[in-house]
Amino acid sequence: MKIIVQKFGGTSVASDEARIAVKDKVQQAVRKGYSPVVVVSAMGRKGAPYATDTLIDTLKSVNLSVNVREMDMLMCCGEIISACVMAATLQKYGINAMALTGGQAGIITDSQFGAARIKNINVSNLMHLLESGIIPVVCGFQGVTENNFKFTTLGRGGSDTSAAALGAALKADFVEIYTDVEGIMTADPRLVKEANILQQISYAEVCQMAYNGAKVIHPRAVEIAMSSNIPMYVKSTFSDAPGTLITSESNGRRNGSEIAINESCVSGVAHLSDLAQFRIELNPADFAAGRNLFEDLADAGISVGSLNLSEKEAMFAVFSPDVEHTCKVLEETGFKYTCNTECAKVSVVGSAMRGVPGVMANFVSALASKNISILQTMDSDTTISAIIKEEHLVDAVTALHQAFKL
């Protein structure tokens, strides 16, 4: 049996027209000899009656400090509605389908409500349905605890994670992530009109792009696929474009044409906005100062990124909603600091940049050409990033996209 997993996002199941497009994708898979397992997100986005954010607002209107168990139970309702409606749509067109909750599909998690981790997947029920010619329509984003069968949710991007984990457990031939764009792009097309669709990209590159702000697919899903070496495709529900293949290696192809490695060793530009940068003075004679700083922040529940640490200074970034809390912790613990608000982070990502001289020079020159000051840089083998003022974000992303010939 050739099994594939097809995941459809909220916009793909939000209307009758969209659900018919989903039905067409499922039928195409069946005609090609595959046995599909369909995974769905909640219908629509915030404001839509059954969207997850709408359900959250409904519960918070009753009690702002609602119990996390009840919150997870409510959030699971969006996907349950979506799975039932999608299964009914398939049945309407003569396709034998059955809606399943995450638990009924065998997804067992820990009990960390709101951000549960998958511990195990028992695929026996899914295999029984597939062998009987029934297409399972599984609620993404959710599972159940092992002992007491409480509903849990997997956190943002959880439907992608569900699809990848089911693909790994079922030893699927591949996983398809359907959305409202035609693939992973070299930059956010809302910022760069010339952004192109990548034909193929590596797991590692996609993870880095996602962690640095690209929102097409959740990095946890890619990590699961990478650990099982299952190919993933990112495609549009609403077109027959081939999409982007995510696999073990990037082949440097964009829009079907070869790109020489010396012309562009970068696969894409990603960005994060709404950041604040902190600079902390450290005493060079106090060898534990840096450790104490980050322990204090961790104890306060503050997540920091974009880290630089030297004997005299520490630099990091937090999202703007955490600024006030961070300032309070630093003042209470006696650290002297400055805070740069209204910042953003721009990154270039590419596994081919490893060991290539001149990449940083090209990065800095691109930003300098637009008179953009760099407040801080960070780099790894596959990523170069800079903290800049947010007012320069569009110019920065565009300049990097052009400089690396994407």
Side-chain angles (χ1 to χ4, degrees):
M1 182 184 298
K2 298 194 300 181
I3 299 171
I4 64 169
V5 176
Q6 297 178 302
K7 179 262 176 177
F8 296 93
T11 56
S12 297
V13 293
S15 66
D16 288 340
E17 182 182 7
R19 289 189 288 272
I20 289 171
V22 171
K23 180 266 299 181
D24 292 341
K25 298 299 182 185
V26 173
Q27 284 182 321
Q28 288 171 17
V30 173
R31 291 188 191 112
K32 292 177 181 177
Y34 292 108
S35 296
V37 173
V38 176
V39 176
V40 293
S41 298
M43 296 162 61
R45 291 176 176 161
K46 188 171 184 177
Y50 307 120
T52 300
D53 286 331
T54 305
L55 296 175
I56 292 171
D57 289 345
T58 300
L59 198 55
K60 286 188 173 180
S61 69
V62 177
N63 182 359
L64 285 174
S65 57
V66 64
N67 184 285
V68 290
R69 176 191 175 277
E70 276 67 49
M71 179 63 79
D72 264 18
M73 191 169 181
L74 180 79
M75 287 197 293
C76 287
C77 293
E79 276 71 19
I80 292 172
I81 293 167
S82 183
C84 291
V85 172
M86 195 63 244
T89 301
L90 295 175
Q91 292 162 5
K92 177 181 177 181
Y93 289 92
I95 300 169
N96 201 357
M98 180 182 292
L100 301 174
T101 66
Q104 290 168 340
I107 298 175
I108 307 299
T109 76
D110 61 22
S111 57
Q112 187 178 353
F113 295 105
R117 292 278 179 168
I118 296 173
K119 296 177 66 176
N120 182 45
I121 299 181
N122 182 345
V123 299
S124 58
N125 191 26
L126 290 174
M127 290 302 300
H128 173 73
L129 293 175
L130 291 173
E131 288 165 357
S132 302
I134 300 170
I135 294 174
V137 182
V138 180
C139 298
F141 180 60
Q142 63 178 250
V144 292
T145 56
E146 190 167 14
N147 297 322
N148 48 22
F149 293 99
K150 294 176 181 176
F151 280 103
T152 56
T153 63
L154 307 179
R156 290 297 182 185
S159 292
D160 290 348
T161 303
S162 299
L166 286 169
L170 290 163
K171 296 181 172 55
D173 287 24
F174 53 87
V175 174
E176 294 178 322
I177 305 293
Y178 283 97
T179 181
D180 52 3
V181 296
E182 292 188 343
I184 297 171
M185 305 195 76
T186 52
D188 188 335
R190 293 170 297 181
L191 273 60
V192 181
K193 292 181 180 178
E194 297 78 17
N196 296 305
I197 296 169
L198 290 160
Q199 182 181 358
Q200 186 168 322
I201 190 169
S202 70
Y203 298 118
E205 288 171 315
V206 170
C207 281
Q208 285 301 317
M209 288 182 69
Y211 282 124
N212 284 288
K215 295 180 173 64
V216 175
I217 188 169
H218 198 279
R220 279 176 64 188
V222 180
E223 289 166 354
I224 291 169
M226 179 166 55
S227 67
S228 300
N229 200 28
I230 295 176
M232 301 184 81
Y233 290 88
V234 175
K235 298 182 176 184
S236 171
T237 306
F238 310 105
S239 83
D240 292 323
T244 301
L245 170 62
I246 306 171
T247 186
S248 56
E249 293 295 335
S250 170
N251 69 351
R253 293 173 64 88
R254 295 175 183 86
N255 296 332
S257 60
E258 288 289 348
I259 301 294
I261 198 168
N262 61 357
E263 180 181 340
S264 178
C265 57
V266 167
S267 292
V269 182
H271 70 276
L272 287 167
S273 56
D274 200 27
L275 299 175
Q277 183 213 34
F278 282 84
R279 291 174 176 263
I280 319 297
E281 292 183 26
L282 299 178
N283 180 358
D286 184 357
F287 298 109
R291 182 196 68 194
N292 294 337
L293 166 65
F294 293 111
E295 283 182 350
D296 291 338
L297 293 168
D299 290 343
I302 298 169
S303 176
V304 302
S306 306
L307 301 175
N308 280 154
L309 180 63
S310 68
E311 62 177 1
K312 294 183 179 180
E313 184 180 50
M315 291 186 287
F316 60 82
V318 301
F319 285 103
S320 294
D322 292 327
V323 169
E324 185 177 350
H325 191 194
T326 305
C327 291
K328 183 179 179 182
V329 171
L330 294 175
E331 288 161 6
E332 289 176 348
T333 51
F335 285 102
K336 295 180 180 180
Y337 69 91
T338 57
C339 177
N340 238 327
T341 58
E342 298 179 350
C343 292
K345 178 181 176 182
V346 290
S347 306
V348 295
V349 178
S351 58
M353 73 168 67
R354 187 182 293 112
V356 177
V359 179
M360 177 61 88
N362 198 13
F363 183 95
V364 173
S365 295
L367 298 183
S369 71
K370 298 294 184 180
N371 298 317
I372 299 171
S373 296
I374 296 175
L375 305 178
Q376 177 188 344
T377 64
M378 301 73 64
D379 73 278
S380 68
D381 281 348
T382 59
T383 307
I384 297 175
S385 304
I387 300 293
I388 61 171
K389 295 300 288 185
E390 189 161 8
E391 64 187 292
H392 301 306
L393 179 60
V394 175
D395 284 344
V397 174
T398 302
L400 291 169
H401 195 269
Q402 292 172 348
F404 287 97
K405 300 178 182 179
L406 299 175

